[in-house]
Amino acid sequence: MLSRVFGFGRRPFDSLSEQEILALAISSEEDDGRIYRAYADGLAEAFPQSAKVFEAMAEEEDGHRDALIELFRKRFGERIPLIRREHVKGYYERKPDWLVRPLGIEAVRRQAEAMERQAYLFYVEAAKRTTDASTRKLLDDLAAAEQGHQSSAHDLEQKHVTGEVKEEEATAEQRQFILTYVQPGLAGLMDGSVSTLAPIFAAAFATHDTWQTLLVGLAASIGAGISMGFTEVASDDGKLSGRGSPIKRGLTVGIMTTLGGLGHALPYLIPHFWTATAVAAVVVFFELWAIAFVQNRYMQTPFLRAAFQVVLGGALVFAAGVLIGNA
């Protein structure tokens, strides 16, 4: 572990021979081809046209690898040394696709652009630090090839991903984001903010004890978060509904439910009862308006209607808590 962090056991790039540099280029092209195919597989179902772009880019990487192997055979023979990015100090790294999932279309395009730019800049800088003429030419050729990849990627995108397709893919990605994160998060925030109003304020007005009220609020908020999270995970695996990973939805709804309740429970850390209650009431006001904003922004609910529904519901629950607490 420490060797990877601090670079122990890695070779400086300027210590590599031309044979090793060529072997490194071959392994890099192979890795990039695999990454582009992984991107294509991850995008194929939701974004088939963009998946074609990455399939074509992977084929180009295969072509460059084959050309490099042929050049290696002519200069150094059949045995290619095993040298990879992680063996060389300062060499750019690649993230395997499982570390960047879910594969959002724009995020993947940016990652691909960064991959080609990193390779190009590395070879350019390496050439500047090289005094051997043949090594410099090799590095310059590799830099030109990587720069050509960027142009090829742009041309392929223009061919497969038209303006209309881009718009459709952006709409699909936005819809998936709403189904996986916004809807569960909104449901959790509403449940946590509204449903915990009654027990928290009932405990507050019944006891006038900020510490006891805080404990009730923590129990109600955390309990509701756990319950909502497990309910979301168990209710829908996302395969038929298209709502995405149940784990992601469960975590989202659980966390937002807990936060919704804690928002007006934590003010009772203030030891003065009426000060704590006033702060909690202000927090509730902002929570309810935040819910109305999210409904308007992502769910296309008219703002006044959303505000009326949320504020009315919250006011009724708040009033019930106060009445019960004073009974």
Side-chain angles (χ1 to χ4, degrees), residues 259-283:
L259 291 177
L262 289 178
H264 45 268
L266 292 179
Y268 284 97
L269 285 167
I270 301 171
H272 187 270
F273 173 76
W274 287 110
T275 302
T277 301
V279 172
V282 171
V283 171

Side-chain angles (χ1 to χ4, degrees), residues 124-144:
V124 167
E125 292 303 314
K128 291 178 183 177
R129 296 195 300 269
T130 303
T131 57
D132 180 75
S134 60
T135 303
R136 180 183 290 271
K137 182 179 184 308
L138 174 61
L139 294 173
D140 284 337
D141 289 344
L142 292 171

Side-chain angles (χ1 to χ4, degrees), residues 9-291:
R10 293 187 181 187
R11 292 271 303 278
F13 183 81
D14 56 12
S15 73
L16 301 182
S17 65
E18 292 181 35
Q19 181 184 21
E20 291 168 332
I21 290 172
L22 196 54
L24 178 60
I26 291 169
S27 68
S28 297
E29 296 288 355
E30 288 176 343
D31 287 347
D32 287 354
R34 291 191 186 99
I35 290 172
Y36 287 142
R37 284 195 171 85
Y39 286 168
D41 292 341
L43 296 171
E45 184 175 352
F47 311 110
Q49 295 303 314
S50 287
K52 291 179 182 178
V53 172
F54 290 104
E55 284 286 0
M57 290 176 67
E59 290 176 5
E60 286 199 4
E61 298 293 332
D62 290 345
H64 295 145
R65 178 206 59 197
D66 293 343
L68 286 165
I69 290 175
E70 186 59 31
L71 176 60
F72 188 96
R73 281 198 182 109
K74 290 179 181 177
R75 296 191 61 187
F76 304 111
E78 294 292 329
R79 298 185 183 277
I80 302 175
L82 177 59
I83 179 168
R84 307 180 70 85
R85 295 183 177 97
E86 58 268 24
H87 301 151
V88 181
K89 285 184 180 179
Y91 204 76
Y92 59 87
E93 296 183 353
R94 298 285 193 241
K95 279 187 178 181
D97 76 293
W98 57 268
L99 289 179
V100 294
R101 288 183 182 271
L103 298 180
I105 184 64
E106 289 303 323
V108 172
R109 285 176 181 155
R110 288 194 299 270
Q111 182 71 13
E113 290 173 2
M115 286 170 60
E116 302 299 348
R117 185 170 60 253
Q118 286 171 348
Y120 167 72
L121 292 175
F122 181 84
Y123 285 130
V124 167
E125 292 303 314
K128 291 178 183 177
R129 296 195 300 269
T130 303
T131 57
D132 180 75
S134 60
T135 303
R136 180 183 290 271
K137 182 179 184 308
L138 174 61
L139 294 173
D140 284 337
D141 289 344
L142 292 171
E146 294 299 337
Q147 192 174 36
H149 291 183
Q150 297 180 55
S151 299
S152 297
H154 178 75
D155 294 340
L156 286 167
E157 184 170 340
Q158 293 298 315
K159 176 182 176 182
H160 293 292
V161 186
T162 63
E164 184 178 346
V165 170
K166 273 190 177 181
E167 187 175 341
E168 291 175 356
E169 291 183 344
T171 301
E173 186 171 29
Q174 176 74 359
R175 179 178 178 275
Q176 190 62 57
F177 174 74
I178 290 173
L179 290 174
T180 304
Y181 295 104
V182 176
Q183 281 187 350
L186 181 61
L189 185 60
M190 292 178 67
D191 185 84
S193 298
V194 176
S195 70
T196 58
L197 285 175
I200 290 175
F201 285 101
F205 284 94
T207 65
H208 284 252
D209 185 324
T210 57
W211 179 247
Q212 295 300 321
T213 302
L214 175 64
L215 294 180
V216 170
L218 290 175
S221 303
I222 295 172
I226 294 171
S227 174
M228 287 284 287
F230 275 100
T231 299
E232 182 66 28
V233 171
S235 65
D236 180 11
D237 63 7
K239 293 180 180 178
L240 296 179
S241 65
R243 296 179 63 217
S245 165
I247 301 298
K248 292 175 183 174
R249 298 196 326 269
L251 286 173
T252 300
V253 73
I255 290 170
M256 294 307 295
T257 301
T258 302
L259 291 177
L262 289 178
H264 45 268
L266 292 179
Y268 284 97
L269 285 167
I270 301 171
H272 187 270
F273 173 76
W274 287 110
T275 302
T277 301
V279 172
V282 171
V283 171
V284 169
F285 174 81
F286 283 105
E287 286 174 347
L288 297 180
W289 281 99
I291 292 169

